[in-house]
Amino acid sequence: MFFNLQPCFPGFCVCVCACVRARACVRVQSCHATKPNLLNVHLVPHTHDDVGWLKTVDQYYYGDRNDIQHAGVQYILDSVVDQLLKNPDRRFIYVETAFFYRWWKRQSADVRRTVRRLVDEGRLEFVNGGWCMSDEATTHYSAVIDQMTMGLRFLNDTFGPCGRPRVAWHIDPFGHAREHASMFAQMGYDGFFFGRLDYQDRSRRRIAREQELLWRASDSLTPPMADLFTGILPNGYNPPEGFCWDQSCDDPPIRDDPDLEDYNVDDVVKRFLAIANTQAKVYKTNHIIMTMGSDFQYENANLWYKNLDKLIRYVNGRQANGSRVHALYSTPSCYLQELHRANLTWALKTDDFFPYADDAHDLWTGYFTSRPALKRYERISNGNLQVGLRGPQWSDHRGPQGSDHRGLLSGKAMAVAQHHDAVSGTEKQHVADDYARRLAGGWLRCQVLVSNSLAALSGSTAERIYCDKLNVSVCPLTESSSKFSVNVYNPLARPVSWPVRLPVNGTSYKVSDAEGRSVDCQVCVCVCCPLLKTVCLCVLVLQFLRVTFDPDTGLLSGLSNLETKQTIKLTQNFYWYNASDGNNSKSDQPSGAYIFRPNSSTPFVISRTAKTETVQTSVLQEVRQWFSPWVSQVVRLHGDSRALELEWTVGPLPIDDDLGKEVITRLDSSIQTAEYFYTDSNGREILQRKKDFRPTWILRQSEPVAGNYYPINSRAFIKDEVDQLTVVTDRSQGGSSIQNGSLEIMLHRRLLYDDVRGVAEPLNETSALFPEGLVVRGRLLLSLDRPPTAADAHRPLAQQAVLQPTLTFTDGDGRWSPCLQFSGLQAALPPAVHLLTLTQWDEDSVLLRLEHQFQSRESKENSRPVTVNLQKLFSTLEILGASELNLSANQWKDEMKRFHWTPQTGM
Amino acid sequence: MFFNLQPCFPGFCVCVCACVRARACVRVQSCHATKPNLLNVHLVPHTHDDVGWLKTVDQYYYGDRNDIQHAGVQYILDSVVDQLLKNPDRRFIYVETAFFYRWWKRQSADVRRTVRRLVDEGRLEFVNGGWCMSDEATTHYSAVIDQMTMGLRFLNDTFGPCGRPRVAWHIDPFGHAREHASMFAQMGYDGFFFGRLDYQDRSRRRIAREQELLWRASDSLTPPMADLFTGILPNGYNPPEGFCWDQSCDDPPIRDDPDLEDYNVDDVVKRFLAIANTQAKVYKTNHIIMTMGSDFQYENANLWYKNLDKLIRYVNGRQANGSRVHALYSTPSCYLQELHRANLTWALKTDDFFPYADDAHDLWTGYFTSRPALKRYERISNGNLQVGLRGPQWSDHRGPQGSDHRGLLSGKAMAVAQHHDAVSGTEKQHVADDYARRLAGGWLRCQVLVSNSLAALSGSTAERIYCDKLNVSVCPLTESSSKFSVNVYNPLARPVSWPVRLPVNGTSYKVSDAEGRSVDCQVCVCVCCPLLKTVCLCVLVLQFLRVTFDPDTGLLSGLSNLETKQTIKLTQNFYWYNASDGNNSKSDQPSGAYIFRPNSSTPFVISRTAKTETVQTSVLQEVRQWFSPWVSQVVRLHGDSRALELEWTVGPLPIDDDLGKEVITRLDSSIQTAEYFYTDSNGREILQRKKDFRPTWILRQSEPVAGNYYPINSRAFIKDEVDQLTVVTDRSQGGSSIQNGSLEIMLHRRLLYDDVRGVAEPLNETSALFPEGLVVRGRLLLSLDRPPTAADAHRPLAQQAVLQPTLTFTDGDGRWSPCLQFSGLQAALPPAVHLLTLTQWDEDSVLLRLEHQFQSRESKENSRPVTVNLQKLFSTLEILGASELNLSANQWKDEMKRFHWTPQTGM
């Protein structure tokens, strides 16, 4: 049982054990007939249900807190099902499985039967189908794949193949990541539709009729493996003006009773035909799509359908008088099918859709960093979830009972956090709190899973303690016990070296490993020597790196890789942009949760000098820097690490000057970047960025800083012929390179104005613990390498940042345990292979995802294909059989037949 | 075929011809079982659908102009029917047939069948059931009976006896007229519910548990003929606080999924039980009612019902733990049935519920006068409609074809105008315009009916011209033709003397009657003699009256009845109250469409003197008075009239001083009124009023003027032992007697602020014709009599004001017509008998209402019973048979079996 892994191909899914093949979706033609010689207008009734935004996901489900926003998803689904039954011509699509699942489990057998029939007949169609519609700028591919799998699995289990979405549908996210497109392709989608893109890009594409295109979403995968047909919707995701018939809209209904006042059928039809003909001019085929719905619409679907029924009847009635327009109820997949039948060639795109601007000074690049604490919490939670899901595989605690339930609930918390107003940081404060609370609940459940599994492995029922606050040096057990044991669980499929830092009260400790051997350790009691300004050049140096500081300023001044004998000049400091308050001659757009808009392109330095202290031992060297009461940093070198750690602490950002602040850390190096820099896409492939440049159109740059910001999910780098400086982040952040040799990353934002995109709150985070404003701490890992081998360092480094070891503690010396060390793998996986997923699937099978984690051509050593022998993989699992699935595990790989699309270039 | 008419008993309906008796409504128990030992909470799902207010009736029906107010009745009915089908326990009541009719005629046979079943099973119950929920302060009984009949007939025709409402339901009108209660009793209702009453009255009744009572609504009719059980709803017509689950509300839904956040079942049940127990303390029985709905609610009925289903389940579930509360879906008639079963005695009430105050300075007495032009237009329209409906009876143009259709449409325009935000003047301007437009359409249709009928009677097809603008002396035909004929159609059942005033261009005309006899006439060319201040006392005197003027002021100074040899001092002048702008230490309530709140109790005189002219001929004597550029008056005496006419012209009210104005005319007499005065109720019986006094509670008067205002629909009077001065109005107006011997009537209002009751517009009427502000003209008829015989004068006078003769014109001398005079009656009816209704009912029958128009004891001569021989009544109708119906003609009189209720006093 050998499987070949191509570079950057995470779609390797193994369903271990005998897998029953489901029937295919055999459907009588569910798409309405179109008219080949007319302009066919596909009317797509839909609702866009945010999995949390102004209200929490459960408030949205129930229709609670309608004072904030009128929205109740339970009623939407009730109403749509009722209305679909009134007229078999009607269609509806549903997107967010997080909501559909909540609704489904409260339905009677009767209703379920009815809904199954509607799905089988294609009258109710699922599109996208993930647990949520994930954010594309701030999510990590691992969590996106999980949330998509969770939603699609529910649909598959509930509705079989007819419930499988054919179309990906990201109508609201604020910019689109290439990696998302790649994943959607590997999940078997035939096409992808979205609503938002840069206004300049939109304008050009309208003229060029390139709003429908072929997105080649990977540099590594062989086409058409990551090709995704992509359609840009004509009107965001809203209906055309004057045709919104939801209860939330005020457009005139069709008044067709001639006995009553204001009969308006002629007017309505005339306006509709004008809009349809205008729209047809900016698309390629004689089919156009109109999204008939919007945020939380269809709560009273009768309003929509009653008027749509009439619209279709009256519009098509005009054909008898020579009208060339044919309106029909449709779905994205029916529309896509017609585009496919058109058999045209389509413009090819290989970059991404970042950053998104909806006007000259309205760059949606603030949310790349908004709510940095939530973004970090989400990232750690993903690690915890993976650990929790893997745990049961190493023992007999498998099975769909308690453990499965706990993993599912934790998975749900992570899944809703992927929503495009969740980890993105663009929700109201109380909703952000709700996401965090859910994630915290997930931690607890995962900890139970890990404890159970460790108890089974160790044969001990001793209580296991988790210290969730180690990031702020809090762990009651280690601080009070004179003797305790630490269990380190490494979820990666290879050994890692990981410094364990614990708060203790004693001054001298003996540490021994599982075999009883003594372990090198250091008790730091802040016996540090202040770096005096008059002292000569200060240097941190350990095995792999040498770091220099400027004695006059206390700032970093240089970095050397002792192995490769590279040295660069490198200074680093903290700055803040003054957030626009909207009081500006060019535009009244303020900075907010979504928008980044500095008042000036030159940031203010927080301090030209840092007060410093240093700690220098054989295993650890640190320089601690204080820049202001609200910015400090520890520059840290571990003995066995090839990366330099910059642990920053920022906040509370002062606002007593009534100025909103957006704080960056900036690295200024001697590297000759020529305006290029590089950022990752969802933690996977790397995209090249160039200042004031977009690959697909001639940019008119109107925001010299915000317009150059891109999302950094896991890493960014700058390079020249000889040096590459890579920064691995611990969460998603926004960043850019504004000057030659420079790389800046936005760390924290505190704003005093709302940016008028609906959230209606300034992004001004405080909490009970931080009433003066949130303090955020994080880590950047810097790696200096030769460009051809840089990936060999940053790929594993970034995976370590995502899947950190889990520490558990028990009081006493742990000698009671018969088994102190265990590995679930027979051997470490090859460096190129990442164990992405390992989780119980059903009673007899697990879902395994092995990923080739290197991009093609980025590493001579590791960018090559690898072969893995599944039967030699695990120490605890006997593999009886395996079947390959698509990336989202809802289709057999060999049955995944996607539409074929031809790019214009013939490539 | 003789029928006896008791005084004030207008419920005399004859269905001429063989009448098929409909089956009775045989219903399996449709009311849910109650629990005798528990507190039963009757939850009544309902919607309150204004037949026009902020939007026009058709806008409300369609859900158009949702930018003004979200409301679409078509969707309400769609949704409620769907939701009733989901659970047979659910109930709904529907009220306004104007809307139900619009909806019904667009439904498929399937839906109709379903709805009939719901009605038959009592799951959908009609209450009230008139075309609209009429206003009680500003409507005339004749139009109210017609609109109720129209609605109830539709229900009867469509649903048979099971569609007959058992309960009258006036949850929104702003004060309640005793005559309405009397009519409801005579229409067969078992009970009556309303929502608004004076806050002091409410408070007293809560303590005394007298919110449910027996209203004895007539001084004349023998109990229990006009007895009406009356219930005051606990919360207006809204749900209790926190329990509004409509889409228009923000109360928390019941969140009963323990897997989701914020499970709140315990909290909801606890709050509900507390409210129920508190409410039970202010009612008498172990049954209480909760109105679960409000304005235009249930557009998405699922929200309400889904939560109500849960509420009932969870509340009743607590009975297992000893809870003493039982919640059930119910209807007003089911609730009423339980009150009746309680077999208690009830407080008796014999006055009315005017005026309505919802707080100390918030007297809803402004709308008695608001939009005086609309009020007049509505009143004339009623006359036109009656004329139009009667017309076809005098010829062969009967039948349900065109004529019936026209009458129906005209009737509908009148019916919607009875709505409590229509003739009341409390709608938005564009809605008032819509009512007027509908009435104008009715005029046209009635004119066709009259023309057809006159053509048939006269044997001539000569074009008949209508001069609708005679009130402003415009009639193109008479102004241009040298020879024309006038047809005068008197709709009353007795001869009247009526001055015909026409605009002409010539200076000398010969006028002859139908027999060619010369008729006394006068051409007035304004050859008038100015009343000089130095001239002696000016006097108008003709056959019956003598009127004196003060030569110093030009004001009226005395009035004598020459027949009875009565003389009183009588001055008359115009004043204005300064409308409060809400900027006031006591309350921030401004005057508005609903509310009358003068800044000061002393009105400003418009002018202490009037400039005058006089015209004195043998048939007509006039004094024309000019008080200001915006107030003038003609005091007019017709030779054969016993009443003095005061034709006032008021407007445009100046607002350049930024002061809202409420203009009154005030009569100050030598009559010793001792703080008493008298106003009619809906044009029928008279109620005694006393300054700063209410018959059923000790009033704390906080608005010395507005708190003494009462509606005047047709007349008001003041009297002492020897003199009674009666004023007959031409429309509904507000009025009072603030000083001894004084009677004031509010004529016109122009206001600069909204009064915060929802209409959201100041009552500041302008129009294309009157861009500077509306000019209004009207007439008061003054009659001075001895009190015991005053009714003999004012009863016929008021009927003449309502049913004025209709004039039609033809060019030429009319000699071509073989028949110049015709009467539909064999003889004049006795003075006590008024022909209230005569209209085609179906192909073979007509609906006839004969009314005894005198109150008992008000006239020695005319307050006696009268007998009428139907077969001797009409000259054109041969009466083959007759059956007596209830007042609204939807039930046979002998089958009208109402609940019997016992008053506390045993009366």
Side-chain angles (χ1 to χ4, degrees), chain A residues 119 150 199 203 361 385 502 524 563 569 574 767 782 837 883:
Chain A
V119 172
M150 176 172 287
Y199 71 106
S203 169
H361 299 283
L385 174 63
L502 303 174
C524 279
E563 288 181 299
K569 283 189 203 164
F574 296 91
S767 74
L782 268 56
T837 305
S883 301

Side-chain angles (χ1 to χ4, degrees), chain A residues 58 62 64 70 75 78 82 86 105-106 247 255-257 259 261 299-300 302 306-307 434, chain B residues 58 62 64 70 75 78 82 86 105 247 255-257 259 261 299-300 302 306-307 434:
Chain A
D58 287 351
Y62 269 124
D64 196 14
H70 188 98
Y75 306 124
D78 287 346
D82 277 359
K86 301 253 174 200
K105 69 185 179 125
R106 306 282 293 176
Q247 65 177 30
R255 301 180 300 256
D256 58 345
D257 184 341
D259 291 348
E261 284 193 351
E299 185 172 309
N300 191 358
N302 179 37
K306 196 168 186 174
N307 286 288
D434 181 69
Chain B
D58 287 350
Y62 269 124
D64 196 14
H70 188 97
Y75 306 124
D78 287 346
D82 278 358
K86 300 254 173 198
K105 70 183 182 127
Q247 66 177 29
R255 302 180 300 255
D256 58 345
D257 184 339
D259 292 348
E261 285 193 349
E299 186 172 308
N300 192 357
N302 179 37
K306 195 169 188 174
N307 285 286
D434 180 69

Side-chain angles (χ1 to χ4, degrees), chain B residues 319-331:
Chain B
Q319 291 168 20
N321 305 333
S323 165
R324 311 290 301 155
V325 173
H326 183 69
L328 61 148
Y329 278 117
S330 188
T331 68

Side-chain angles (χ1 to χ4, degrees), chain B residues 7-23:
Chain B
C8 261
F9 181 35
F12 183 42
C13 298
V14 179
C15 173
V16 180
C17 186
C19 298
V20 182
R21 301 234 156 182
R23 69 189 162 85

Side-chain angles (χ1 to χ4, degrees), chain A residues 503-772:
Chain A
V504 290
N505 268 327
T507 53
S508 169
Y509 284 80
K510 179 172 174 249
V511 181
S512 53
D513 70 9
E515 276 84 37
R517 288 175 304 225
S518 178
V519 172
D520 211 5
C521 83
Q522 189 71 35
V523 177
C524 279
V525 222
C526 279
V527 283
C528 329
C529 47
L531 247 182
L532 298 176
K533 285 196 176 180
T534 49
V535 166
C536 64
L537 189 71
C538 176
V539 176
L540 299 184
V541 57
L542 279 171
Q543 195 176 350
F544 300 109
L545 291 177
R546 183 166 181 279
V547 190
T548 58
F549 290 81
D550 180 333
D552 291 337
T553 61
L555 302 181
L556 202 68
S557 61
L559 178 63
S560 306
N561 182 328
L562 301 177
E563 288 181 299
T564 59
K565 304 197 166 42
Q566 284 173 272
T567 294
I568 57 169
K569 283 189 203 164
L570 179 66
T571 62
Q572 180 270 341
N573 205 344
F574 296 91
Y575 304 82
W576 61 279
Y577 288 104
N578 177 16
S580 173
D581 59 5
N583 193 353
N584 180 291
S585 64
K586 288 184 187 163
S587 150
D588 56 3
Q589 178 62 55
S591 251
Y594 300 92
I595 307 281
F596 171 35
R597 183 163 182 239
N599 246 342
S600 154
S601 297
T602 311
F604 299 96
V605 68
I606 285 163
S607 173
R608 301 201 174 279
T609 59
K611 288 184 195 164
T612 57
E613 286 179 357
T614 183
V615 174
Q616 303 207 6
T617 74
S618 59
V619 294
L620 176 76
Q621 300 202 348
E622 287 183 2
V623 171
R624 303 179 184 180
Q625 301 170 301
W626 284 268
F627 295 85
S628 83
W630 45 279
V631 175
S632 62
Q633 185 171 248
V634 181
V635 181
R636 187 179 286 135
L637 206 50
H638 292 285
D640 47 5
S641 172
R642 287 180 167 84
L644 177 67
E645 177 183 330
L646 304 186
E647 188 183 55
W648 49 272
T649 304
V650 175
L653 305 192
I655 49 170
D656 43 8
D657 54 4
D658 287 335
L659 301 175
K661 296 185 180 57
E662 326 212 20
V663 173
I664 60 165
T665 181
R666 198 174 75 203
L667 299 159
D668 292 294
S669 76
S670 53
I671 298 172
Q672 297 303 310
T673 58
E675 306 205 320
Y676 286 100
F677 59 108
Y678 301 83
T679 60
D680 68 314
S681 184
N682 298 133
R684 291 272 296 155
E685 292 192 52
I686 304 294
L687 287 169
Q688 188 189 59
R689 309 296 186 182
K690 184 163 193 277
K691 193 182 156 200
D692 297 335
F693 176 80
R694 304 283 186 268
T696 49
W697 84 92
I698 295 158
L699 176 70
R700 298 186 304 279
Q701 183 62 281
S702 39
E703 282 288 328
V705 175
N708 283 308
Y709 259 62
Y710 289 88
I712 300 170
N713 302 108
S714 64
R715 78 212 77 183
F717 57 79
I718 49 177
K719 65 175 182 176
D720 55 20
E721 292 295 309
V722 290
D723 295 312
Q724 174 168 337
L725 179 68
T726 308
V727 179
V728 169
T729 65
D730 62 349
R731 75 199 71 189
S732 290
Q733 293 169 315
S736 188
S737 171
I738 306 289
Q739 304 294 339
N740 185 32
S742 164
L743 183 65
E744 67 182 57
I745 294 177
M746 189 176 289
L747 303 177
H748 195 5
R749 321 177 69 214
R750 190 172 190 190
L751 306 172
L752 305 175
Y753 298 91
D754 175 61
D755 56 2
V756 209
R757 293 305 188 281
V759 78
E761 279 181 4
L763 184 71
N764 181 358
E765 294 178 281
T766 58
S767 74
L769 205 59
F770 297 112
E772 300 302 315

Side-chain angles (χ1 to χ4, degrees), chain B residues 230-257:
Chain B
T230 300
I232 298 164
L233 295 166
N235 198 23
Y237 52 90
N238 298 306
E241 198 182 327
F243 290 85
C244 184
W245 287 312
D246 193 68
Q247 66 177 29
S248 63
C249 301
D250 297 334
D251 289 340
I254 297 185
R255 302 180 300 255
D256 58 345
D257 184 339

Side-chain angles (χ1 to χ4, degrees), chain A residues 352-461:
Chain A
D352 65 0
F353 287 97
F354 284 116
Y356 166 53
D358 53 357
D359 209 340
H361 299 283
D362 309 47
L363 270 292
W364 298 47
T365 54
Y367 80 98
F368 299 162
T369 296
S370 294
R371 301 194 183 281
L374 179 65
K375 282 183 164 68
R376 174 63 184 150
Y377 198 58
E378 182 275 336
R379 185 66 58 89
I380 316 176
S381 301
N382 186 32
N384 286 345
L385 174 63
Q386 302 308 328
V387 168
L389 293 176
R390 284 164 202 204
Q393 306 315 320
W394 314 132
S395 66
D396 291 336
H397 276 255
R398 291 210 299 277
Q401 322 90 312
S403 65
D404 190 54
H405 182 64
R406 287 196 190 88
L408 190 65
L409 287 177
S410 313
K412 283 179 192 163
M414 268 302 291
V416 300
Q418 305 312 306
H419 168 62
H420 58 273
D421 290 304
V423 64
S424 61
T426 54
E427 64 284 73
K428 279 190 185 284
Q429 184 61 49
H430 80 104
V431 180
D433 295 343
D434 181 69
Y435 288 122
R437 196 160 45 233
R438 286 169 190 273
L439 291 173
W443 284 39
L444 294 177
R445 285 183 287 261
C446 286
Q447 287 166 358
V448 172
L449 292 178
V450 170
S451 293
N452 289 348
S453 153
L454 290 177
L457 286 171
S458 67
S460 155
T461 57

Side-chain angles (χ1 to χ4, degrees), chain B residues 32 42 97 267 345 385 569 642 647 668 824 869 877 879:
Chain B
H32 288 298
H42 293 249
T97 305
D267 171 64
T345 62
L385 173 63
K569 284 189 201 165
R642 287 179 168 84
E647 188 183 58
D668 291 293
N869 183 347
L877 296 172
I879 298 195

